[in-house]
Amino acid sequence: MSDGELVLAALNGQGSAYEELVHRWTARVLAVCHAKVRRADVAEDLAQETLMRGFVALKALSDPEKFGAWLHGIAIRTCLDWLKARARKQVPFSSLGGETGPDGLFPAPGDGAAAALEKDDERREILSEVERLPEDLRKVIMLFYYEDSSYREMAHVLGVSPATINARLTKARDLLRRRMSAARR
Amino acid sequence: MSCEEVSNLISAELDGELLPEDRPALEAHLAVCVACRSVLEAFRLQDGELRRSFAPRRRAAQDLARSVVARLRSRGPGGRLGTVVLQLSTAAAGFALALLLFRPWERGPDRTPHSPPIVAVKEAPAGTPKAHSTVSAPIPMATLTLAMGMIEVLPPGEREWKAAPAGGPIDAGTRVRTGPEALCEFRTADGSAVRLNVATEVAFLSERRLDLARGQVLSTVAHAPTRFEVTVPEATVAALGTEFDLQLRGDETQLIVVEGSTLVSGKTGNEIVHRGQRATIGRGAVKKRDEYDIILATSWVHKILARKRESSPEVAKRLEHLLAAIGKAKMEELSEREVLELGESCVKPLVSFVRSGLSRTDKNRREKAAALVATLAGRGEVPGSAIEDIIQLLVDEDRNVRFHAAVALERSTRETQGHAAEKWRTDERAEQDEAYRKWISWWALHRAEYERTRLKT
């Protein structure tokens, strides 16, 4: 069934229909949230919040075939709410995760880079670099690698053309390549 | 081609998105450009690193999906999408409880079915050994279950319209039309109800596809995996288990969604119209929509429901809505009229509502409900089986309820037990108790007679 048909079925009381939508869209929602807030742990909570908000507000969706783009909008708003709330708080350094720097958003330059790179460190390093990319570039990287989304699928979610997706992925890869090379020298 | 353009093609190649027509240009450039070959190799290595780095994130996404599903399921039936939180007044809540307790739609021995039975499977001819019986007629696509006035059909391949027999099967491709004063109801094999208003023509394309050529049709759709669709000029209205009304008005179609949601598909795209909304469809698109009283807007179907002579969940739902509207100044007169239109089928629910303990705090609605019973009695719409319950209203605390009950009994039975209706409005309880005991004795003697017949004044 298409997303639109699942939406209709869900609106008419078939609970399994929304569950199917959850399975289809969780990875992409998580990618969008991760790209927005640049923290994987927080992104999971925000993605769950997004999917629940989508469930409650499904009746407000006017075109069922645009479910993905609509859910993307909810994800962005959910993340912005979190970012605003976080900006108001005074967060002590001790509560920040190992991947993040003093301000909680940007990894401190060189964190993990000076140490010998184990597999986990390598993974953390490249993820940190992805999290440092400009927002429009890190979003496409995360959408692609969270789920192997096609250009067309990503274009649908982000509201741009497949050619734009291609260009952004290329630019993201190029920037990652240069930064990783610089970090490893 | 520049190296910047080629780098885009390199990305597309890595991602499995390279267009066939771009491959020759990419290969030709890579053959002569060392820098781009380095980029290809670097992107390939980086792609592998990224995939390995994101593998735990993918697993996290799968775990998250399972977690969300578990959370959705833990919400229980109350979390079901589309469930309308019914904000009933106390009186309406009492009515709903009365319905649940009373279950007026359950057929009792005193009720006889009015509608023709739905044709299912024919019995094998007498004498045919069961083991060799092959005479099982297929379940028809649809059956005419109620006809009020002239209903005509045009089966596929035929040229002449002919009268539709009640209970007659409908095959795919049959066109059906109602006369200027006729209404009818069809039941499809999947249990959906299709009701046609006057001057309506519909084609049954299949069990779950109709074409509305003119007039008005109300569809109450059974849940099924396939969509139920009605085509109108330049659009299709589809549902998956819902109730909706469509009426052609000149170049436009009016859609009213009574339950669930519908999808309107036309040239310009798709739109969902939800329960409680009225939409105008024109040139393949929803031109405007507003919130509308869906029960009153589809009240034309009450004539059909009233003919069923027995309550049903559908009647109960409509009655509940109308009773809730009574008391709201603008809606009162209109709603009362529609309750009366429901006729005999709503007498017992009305009486149950008055007797329900939860309605006790809503004096106005209780009195209105009792007055409606009296009015229905004046029209000969009180079934014999309701008499005993109306007698019990004679001992109600509310004097107006007692009065209306006495009026209803007098109109239905031509009896007063020596105590005129107006006297039930006084506080002379001793006389009223005496009259009540007489009614009880009278009922014991005449019960069998009244429960078998429909009362007429």
Side-chain angles (χ1 to χ4, degrees), chain B residues 199-245:
Chain B
T200 293
E201 184 176 327
V202 156
F204 282 83
L205 303 177
S206 69
E207 186 178 311
R208 287 176 73 83
R209 282 186 60 223
L210 307 176
D211 176 76
L212 178 62
R214 62 185 170 95
Q216 188 169 21
V217 62
L218 177 71
S219 306
T220 305
V221 179
H223 282 274
T226 52
R227 276 190 197 173
F228 186 98
E229 295 181 344
V230 181
T231 54
V232 296
E234 297 184 273
T236 300
V237 181
L240 282 174
T242 187
E243 185 176 357
F244 62 100
D245 183 282

Side-chain angles (χ1 to χ4, degrees), chain B residues 33-246:
Chain B
C33 180
V34 173
C36 284
R37 286 204 296 274
S38 296
V39 168
L40 172 61
E41 192 54 33
F43 276 11
R44 196 170 277 150
L45 284 171
Q46 184 191 80
D47 180 67
E49 280 186 66
L50 282 165
R51 287 183 185 281
R52 285 188 295 275
S53 297
F54 272 89
R57 303 309 312 144
R58 292 178 186 232
R59 285 193 293 275
Q62 289 168 3
D63 291 341
L64 179 61
R66 282 190 283 271
S67 172
V68 171
V69 167
R71 190 171 156 190
L72 287 168
R73 288 181 183 174
S74 71
R75 288 166 67 105
R80 181 171 169 269
L81 267 175
T83 299
V84 175
V85 177
L86 207 51
Q87 293 178 354
L88 293 171
S89 66
T90 305
F95 176 72
L97 179 61
L99 287 176
L100 285 172
L101 292 172
F102 177 73
R103 298 182 186 275
W105 53 85
E106 285 178 1
R107 189 173 290 184
D110 57 323
R111 295 192 185 88
T112 53
H114 173 74
S115 311
I118 295 174
V119 174
V121 177
K122 288 183 183 172
E123 295 287 344
T128 306
K130 280 190 182 175
H132 299 291
S133 170
T134 56
V135 187
S136 291
I139 296 175
M141 188 193 73
T143 309
L144 178 61
T145 48
L146 194 146
M148 297 164 58
M150 174 57 78
I151 313 298
E152 293 179 301
V153 292
L154 181 66
E158 295 189 24
R159 293 186 179 184
E160 301 283 332
W161 288 86
K162 57 186 181 183
I170 297 292
D171 296 323
T174 300
R175 304 191 76 83
V176 178
R177 69 184 183 191
T178 55
E181 293 180 357
L183 301 96
C184 68
E185 175 190 272
F186 289 88
R187 289 275 170 178
T188 62
D190 67 356
S192 301
V194 177
R195 290 157 181 151
L196 277 58
N197 203 349
V198 302
T200 293
E201 184 176 327
V202 156
F204 282 83
L205 303 177
S206 69
E207 186 178 311
R208 287 176 73 83
R209 282 186 60 223
L210 307 176
D211 176 76
L212 178 62
R214 62 185 170 95
Q216 188 169 21
V217 62
L218 177 71
S219 306
T220 305
V221 179
H223 282 274
T226 52
R227 276 190 197 173
F228 186 98
E229 295 181 344
V230 181
T231 54
V232 296
E234 297 184 273
T236 300
V237 181
L240 282 174
T242 187
E243 185 176 357
F244 62 100
D245 183 282
L246 282 167

Side-chain angles (χ1 to χ4, degrees), chain B residues 387-431:
Chain B
I387 295 293
E388 183 174 10
D389 293 330
I390 298 174
I391 290 174
Q392 296 306 316
L393 293 181
L394 294 174
V395 294
D396 198 88
E397 291 170 1
D398 187 311
R399 61 178 64 190
N400 289 321
V401 169
R402 295 196 299 267
F403 165 73
H404 291 305
V407 169
L409 287 169
E410 184 176 353
R411 288 174 175 173
S412 302
T413 67
R414 304 196 184 185
E415 296 277 349
T416 62
Q417 308 307 326
H419 202 75
E422 199 54 51
K423 287 188 179 180
W424 289 94
R425 269 196 171 128
T426 69
D427 289 326
E428 294 164 8
R429 300 312 294 260
E431 286 187 23

